[in-house]
Amino acid sequence: IQNSAAKLVTGKYKYDHVDNDLHDLHWLQIKKRIVFKIALLSYKAINGQAPVYIQDMFTYSYQGYIPRLLTPVMNTRLGQRSLSFIGPKIFNNLPNQITTASNTDSFKKLLKTYLFKLSISETMNLTK
C-alpha cells in the first residue's frame, strides 16, 4: 500500500520502481515506521505524555541523566512481541543523543533522521 501511495503522489505508473521515491518523499519504510512508533510511545511513556495505561507498561531508571527502560522477562513468543517487552529493547538501543532529547518534536526529528541512515537489517538489530 505504501508503494502504491508513493506512486500516486509522484505520478508514476503501476510497474515503475519506487526505490528512491520513498526516500525523496521522506517516508520511512514500513519496518522502520513500526520501530519509529514503538520508540515514540516509549519516549512519551517515560516523559508522562502517553496515556496512563501505556505508562504503566514500562519500568524505567536513570543511569546518570540517561533514561533506561527495564526489559521484563517474557517466556513466550507472544510475550516477546508485546509493547512492554520490545519497547525497552528498541529504546535502550537508540543513541543517547536521541533518548535524551529535550522534547517530543526534537526526539521525532532525531529518530527519523537516525532511522533513515540505517539499513533494514540494522533497524531490526535495534530489537535485539
Side-chain angles (χ1 to χ4, degrees), residues 44-60:
K44 285 182 173 184
I46 288 176
N47 292 296
Q49 299 169 343
V52 175
Y53 73 93
I54 291 179
Q55 292 179 37
D56 291 344
M57 291 182 188
F58 298 105
T59 306
Y60 62 92

Side-chain angles (χ1 to χ4, degrees), residues 79-90:
Q80 292 175 353
R81 295 180 66 182
S82 67
L83 178 62
S84 60
F85 183 81
I86 201 71
K89 287 189 167 283
I90 290 173

